[in-house]
Amino acid sequence: MTDEEFRMSEDAALETTLETPLSERVEAILLVVDEPIALVALAAAVHAPVPAVRQTLETLVDDYDGRGTGPRRGFELREVGGGWRLYVREDHDDLVADFIGGQAPARLSQAALETLAVIAYKQPVTRGQVASIRAVNVDSVVRTLLARGLITELFADSETGAINYGTTDQLLQHLGINSIDELPPISPLLDDGADGFDEGVTR
Amino acid sequence: MTDEEFRMSEDAALETTLETPLSERVEAILLVVDEPIALVALAAAVHAPVPAVRQTLETLVDDYDGRGTGPRRGFELREVGGGWRLYVREDHDDLVADFIGGQAPARLSQAALETLAVIAYKQPVTRGQVASIRAVNVDSVVRTLLARGLITELFADSETGAINYGTTDQLLQHLGINSIDELPPISPLLDDGADGFDEGVTR
Amino acid sequence: MAPSPEDTSTGLAAQDADAPGFRVSLSNFDGPFDLLLNLISKHELDITEVSLSKVTNEFISYLRDLDGPDELDQASEFLVVAATLLDMKVAGLLPQGELVDAESVALLEARDLLFARLLQYRAFKEVSAWFARCLQREDRRHVRAAPLDEKHRKKTPELVWSLSVDDFAALALLAFAPKEIPSVGLDHLHAPLVSIREQAAVVVTLLRSTDSLTFRELVSGVSEPGIVVARFISVLELYRHAALSFEQLEPLGELTLRWSAENWSDEQLATLGADYDR
């Protein structure tokens, strides 16, 4: 369906909204989403081509940060966990926390953090593989991470039936990053234990 | 970090936020309120005198409507029922309705159904309590159930202010029963739940 | 906002003598446990010179003064590291000789692999600090998450409901059940269990039907190692009950078995090999 046909098939009200600036439409959708919205989904929601929406998002980021014509905003636009979402500007998080009075979130144990790190870097990875790196049984820790939605079962190994785990978009959101590529680089050791080893000891 | 140090750093952070423009602080709070917030409550939240906050709200209304230095926004600030809240600008209501209509599935997800079951059997129950039984964050699912009219806010806990939820007549109708007492008993598990529960809350 | 790699390395470098956590005090080393590892992994301290028992003793007394989850974390970390250290130490202490024979090469490789494992473990442990920092920072962030206002709520498609009240109760059971992750059965990796009692019954029958029998004859035609082992254990058990005698002329030679029970009742089979029950 072309834009023309599309517009004709919709009612007059939608036509009115499509005559408004793209930035307004993007803001309207961002105000109601309850999880990060991917660029493509956002473009579909505002009936605009992806490049134009990407451009608009960049403009809004600058705008909210005070690099546009208006003042800096108390909120900001972030790309986190594979999508875009409005956040309270970091400077005001304490003020908002004070207002909401939220409870302190349960911290992950050191064992859980290390297991999470192994899974993040080695995914897809089985529990057995994680255990051999951590040199301890990781079953209960994996259960915790699954229950918190930080990791997920990806697929079962076709030969052994062992379940392979990977990280979720929710983990990315919790880390405040947009993709697993944004994890800090870790020693080349991890690519191949045997090869990297020489570097490791002689360094 | 000791409690003392933590409090000091928290105070320092709060001081930093209080050096930022009042409009930013107001925007930060407006972004997270669940329902319209009264002027006095807003003033308390941003640690500023009522007249200054009223002034700021007026400026923001103008600003969002495009009468300030920046462009018109896709959202607007309105005073409704004695409180202030951000709304999608009316021009975009159809766009948003379209998006929501395409977004919300006609069926509840497994996660939503399980959360609903927990609320049905444990009511009145707070979000935190449900989360600790389900071992996951249930905020967005609870919002969905509220929006669907399957649960409702019953009352706020007198001490913590946490909202207690219960099920609605609409759920009873769906289930074809007259009262929540007609739910089949699952008591042995519920007792276990209650035990784990206290831990969950105090943690 | 991806942190730069430097972020991670500063975290790692913060291993000065004042670092909190477990410290070891040895004749040749005094400092945090982590630093000990660091030195060993860089070959600046010979693993063979570290007294692991002393480290362990100090660690246990250190744990006594700790409370709360920190203790558990530190204890589990200690176990991981101590196990690796122990492996390294074993490899380091074993004589390696002057000659480069296949065995000592294998030994060196084993030690190298253990170093690699230790370094890998350390890498993950270090990067987990980055995870902790990010999670903590992001925990403090607030995202726009407000309920839809009334007029938009009405636009949501009507709910399709298909659960009966019993379905709903079943769902509640599921929701309240403690969360378990499915585990993969390993049964198929193990040989099927062999009953010592059943095999003992076979042994008894065979022995009573003839004058004497060699063990080789007793297991002839049996291909499963488990059954051979079970028959051998049965023989030992029956010997304990003085139900048979055996004769072996030379070490590792032929084992000849002879039924010698005076009062045998097959009911005795019922308790035979109970020591091997799980």
Side-chain angles (χ1 to χ4, degrees):
Chain A
M1 188 163 19
T2 67
D3 266 9
E4 196 57 33
E5 285 167 323
F6 181 76
R7 237 170 271 190
M8 283 170 65
S9 73
E10 294 293 314
D11 58 30
L14 194 53
E15 203 168 309
T16 313
T17 194
L18 292 184
E19 277 160 16
T20 60
L22 184 54
S23 69
E24 283 193 30
R25 284 181 270 155
V26 168
E27 285 181 317
I29 298 294
L30 286 173
L31 198 74
V32 298
V33 293
D34 60 4
E35 54 183 30
I37 182 167
L39 177 61
V40 176
L42 186 55
V46 298
H47 305 280
V50 169
V53 174
R54 185 187 292 120
Q55 178 65 47
T56 302
L57 285 166
E58 278 164 22
T59 309
L60 285 176
V61 168
D62 281 351
D63 197 359
Y64 294 168
D65 287 353
R67 293 189 296 271
T69 50
R72 194 176 82 150
R73 299 286 161 201
F75 42 82
E76 59 179 327
L77 185 52
R78 296 174 73 199
E79 191 180 14
V80 164
W84 293 84
R85 213 169 167 192
L86 290 172
Y87 275 78
V88 168
R89 184 168 297 284
E90 197 163 10
D91 305 33
H92 307 295
D93 275 327
D94 290 294
L95 189 80
V96 172
D98 236 33
F99 170 68
I100 295 181
Q103 66 218 48
R107 293 264 165 82
L108 289 178
S109 68
Q110 181 63 26
L113 285 170
E114 286 171 22
T115 302
L116 189 58
V118 172
I119 294 174
Y121 281 93
K122 297 286 250 186
Q123 61 185 315
V125 65
T126 65
R127 247 187 302 172
Q129 289 164 343
V130 178
S132 77
I133 291 168
R134 295 256 308 121
V136 289
N137 183 301
V138 295
D139 289 2
S140 86
V141 168
V142 164
R143 227 185 334 260
T144 305
L145 296 175
L146 272 175
R148 290 227 191 166
L150 300 176
I151 61 170
T152 184
E153 296 177 357
L154 293 178
F155 56 88
D157 187 287
S158 57
E159 279 178 28
T160 65
I163 295 166
N164 277 268
Y165 296 90
T167 52
T168 60
D169 281 351
Q170 211 178 325
L171 172 69
L172 299 181
Q173 287 176 44
H174 283 299
L175 290 173
I177 61 177
N178 190 41
S179 135
I180 210 73
D181 300 336
E182 291 175 33
L183 291 178
I186 191 164
S187 127
L189 260 182
L190 302 179
D191 294 334
D192 183 341
D195 283 351
F197 161 73
D198 290 335
E199 273 170 58
V201 255
T202 52
R203 103 189 129 156
Chain B
M1 189 153 46
T2 66
D3 274 0
E4 190 57 29
E5 284 169 317
F6 184 72
R7 218 164 303 147
M8 279 172 65
S9 77
E10 209 174 41
D11 282 352
L14 199 54
E15 233 164 80
T16 313
T17 198
L18 292 184
E19 279 163 15
T20 59
L22 183 53
S23 68
E24 282 192 31
R25 282 180 274 154
V26 169
E27 286 181 315
I29 299 293
L30 287 173
L31 197 74
V32 298
V33 292
D34 274 357
E35 46 189 57
I37 181 170
L39 177 61
V40 176
L42 187 56
V46 299
H47 303 275
V50 170
V53 175
R54 185 187 293 119
Q55 178 62 48
T56 301
L57 285 168
E58 278 164 22
T59 310
L60 284 176
V61 168
D62 282 351
D63 198 358
Y64 294 169
D65 287 351
R67 293 188 298 274
T69 49
R72 195 175 82 150
R73 298 285 159 204
F75 42 81
E76 57 184 336
L77 183 55
R78 289 211 315 259
E79 189 179 13
V80 172
W84 292 84
R85 189 176 189 249
L86 291 174
Y87 292 89
V88 169
R89 182 170 298 283
E90 215 161 355
D91 306 31
H92 308 293
D93 275 347
D94 292 284
L95 190 79
V96 168
D98 217 43
F99 172 69
I100 306 266
Q103 196 72 2
R107 284 167 196 282
L108 290 177
S109 67
Q110 178 76 12
L113 284 169
E114 286 184 24
T115 301
L116 181 60
V118 170
I119 294 173
Y121 278 91
K122 284 296 249 185
Q123 60 187 310
V125 64
T126 67
R127 243 186 301 186
Q129 290 165 341
V130 178
S132 78
I133 292 169
R134 300 265 304 123
V136 289
N137 182 303
V138 295
D139 290 1
S140 100
V141 169
V142 165
R143 261 198 304 279
T144 303
L145 295 174
L146 273 173
R148 288 294 189 173
L150 296 168
I151 61 170
T152 183
E153 297 177 356
L154 295 177
F155 56 89
D157 186 284
S158 57
E159 276 180 31
T160 65
I163 295 166
N164 278 268
Y165 297 89
T167 53
T168 60
D169 287 348
Q170 200 184 322
L171 175 68
L172 298 182
Q173 283 168 27
H174 282 308
L175 291 172
I177 54 180
N178 289 318
S179 142
I180 211 70
D181 301 334
E182 292 175 33
L183 283 177
I186 56 163
S187 46
L189 273 174
L190 273 183
D191 293 341
D192 287 349
D195 286 345
F197 198 78
D198 292 337
E199 275 169 54
V201 192
T202 50
R203 164 178 65 175
Chain C
M1 33 193 297
S4 58
E6 293 86 72
D7 267 6
T8 332
S9 46
T10 29
L12 314 189
Q15 290 168 345
D16 54 306
D18 297 329
F22 176 53
R23 292 177 63 88
V24 277
S25 213
L26 304 166
S27 56
N28 54 352
F29 176 82
D30 179 43
F33 195 45
D34 220 29
L35 188 56
L36 173 69
L37 279 182
N38 215 352
L39 291 176
I40 291 169
S41 68
K42 287 180 179 168
H43 289 255
E44 283 171 26
L45 192 66
D46 191 342
I47 181 68
T48 58
E49 290 170 13
V50 177
S51 163
L52 274 180
S53 65
K54 199 155 180 230
V55 172
T56 309
N57 280 340
E58 289 199 16
F59 182 74
I60 289 170
S61 55
Y62 168 77
L63 277 189
R64 282 206 187 96
D65 299 335
L66 273 181
D67 276 320
D70 277 357
E71 185 174 345
L72 208 64
D73 275 348
Q74 291 219 23
S76 76
E77 184 182 312
F78 177 81
L79 286 178
V80 172
V81 173
T84 311
L85 278 180
L86 194 60
D87 280 350
M88 285 167 56
K89 181 152 183 168
V90 168
L93 282 175
L94 286 172
Q96 284 161 23
E98 302 286 315
L99 293 170
V100 183
D101 54 26
E103 216 171 298
S104 63
V105 167
L107 210 55
L108 278 174
E109 277 175 0
R111 193 159 81 156
D112 288 354
L113 276 174
L114 288 166
F115 273 126
R117 206 173 95 195
L118 186 64
L119 289 171
Q120 177 175 255
Y121 171 70
R122 282 174 52 79
F124 280 119
K125 182 168 133 47
E126 284 156 3
V127 83
S128 75
W130 180 85
F131 277 74
R133 273 201 305 278
C134 287
L135 290 171
Q136 200 178 339
R137 187 192 60 216
E138 212 55 29
D139 264 348
R140 298 162 48 80
R141 299 304 309 265
H142 294 91
V143 72
R144 162 74 180 173
L148 288 174
D149 60 288
E150 194 53 37
K151 68 179 165 195
H152 289 131
R153 259 184 236 181
K154 287 184 195 139
K155 298 289 175 67
T156 52
E158 198 166 337
L159 186 64
V160 176
W161 187 274
S162 54
L163 291 182
S164 73
V165 66
D166 289 326
D167 292 341
F168 191 69
L171 204 64
L173 272 173
L174 188 68
F176 281 105
K179 307 290 175 286
E180 281 290 337
I181 47 172
S183 61
V184 180
L186 295 174
D187 300 351
H188 60 286
L189 298 179
H190 298 293
L193 289 177
V194 178
S195 159
I196 289 171
R197 256 155 257 157
E198 282 173 20
Q199 296 306 316
V202 174
V203 170
V204 168
T205 311
L206 285 173
L207 278 178
R208 290 174 84 172
S209 64
T210 177
D211 184 19
S212 74
L213 208 60
T214 65
F215 187 73
R216 194 187 304 278
E217 289 166 341
L218 193 60
V219 295
S220 68
V222 174
S223 56
E224 294 91 334
I227 295 183
V228 175
V229 171
R231 290 202 183 164
F232 184 70
I233 292 172
S234 313
V235 167
L236 294 180
E237 286 293 305
L238 289 167
Y239 179 72
R240 271 175 66 183
H241 285 81
L244 60 76
S245 65
F246 63 81
E247 191 177 47
Q248 193 174 29
L249 295 175
E250 51 179 321
L252 304 178
E254 197 75 63
L255 195 62
T256 307
L257 307 165
R258 199 168 265 114
W259 186 251
S260 63
E262 290 179 335
N263 309 303
W264 177 262
S265 127
D266 279 349
E267 283 164 22
Q268 284 175 259
L269 278 176
T271 54
L272 198 76
D275 292 352
Y276 299 94
D277 286 349
R278 285 198 275 173

